[in-house]
């Protein structure tokens, strides 16, 4: 099994290198307010991930990555 830290670093690299800037901006616009105004221990990480995935899927539908 690949260590979670390694998976996270690979995912972070992929997000920053291959997602179009417009998609990253939309993700940040959606997640950042919740992250700023909610205490870390009260954040629902699963919900944040779902929101980001929905944005990525909607924005990349029928598109190729760089």
């Amino acid at each position: 099994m690949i260590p979670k830290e390694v998976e996270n670093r690979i995912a972070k690299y992929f997000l920053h290198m291959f997602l179009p800037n417009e998609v990253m901006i939309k993700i940040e616009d959606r997640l950042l307010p919740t992250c700023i105004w909610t205490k870390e221990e009260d954040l629902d990480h699963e919900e944040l991930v779902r929101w980001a995935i929905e944005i990525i899927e909607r924005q990349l539908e029928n598109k190729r990555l760089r």
Side-chain angles (χ1 to χ4, degrees), residues 8 15 25 34-35 39-40 43 45-46 57-58 63:
N8 289 340
L15 282 174
I25 290 169
T34 300
C35 293
K39 292 180 184 176
E40 175 72 26
L43 284 173
H45 292 194
E46 294 299 320
E57 287 178 342
R58 189 170 45 247
K63 294 181 184 173

Side-chain angles (χ1 to χ4, degrees), residues 18-33:
F18 296 105
L19 276 184
N21 287 336
E22 309 85 51
V23 177
M24 287 301 297
I25 290 169
K26 287 182 187 293
I27 292 170
E28 290 171 353
D29 287 348
R30 177 64 179 103
L31 273 60
L32 199 53

Side-chain angles (χ1 to χ4, degrees), residues 35-61:
C35 293
I36 289 173
W37 296 108
T38 306
K39 292 180 184 176
E40 175 72 26
E41 60 271 9
D42 294 335
L43 284 173
D44 182 346
H45 292 194
E46 294 299 320
E47 184 174 43
L48 294 172
V49 170
R50 277 193 304 274
W51 291 346
I53 290 171
E54 288 173 6
I55 291 167
I56 292 168
E57 287 178 342
R58 189 170 45 247
Q59 294 297 311
L60 296 181
E61 190 173 33

Side-chain angles (χ1 to χ4, degrees), residues 8-21:
N8 289 340
R9 290 177 65 189
I10 292 167
K12 195 179 292 188
Y13 173 83
F14 177 82
L15 282 174
H16 291 284
M17 291 301 295
F18 296 105
L19 276 184
N21 287 336

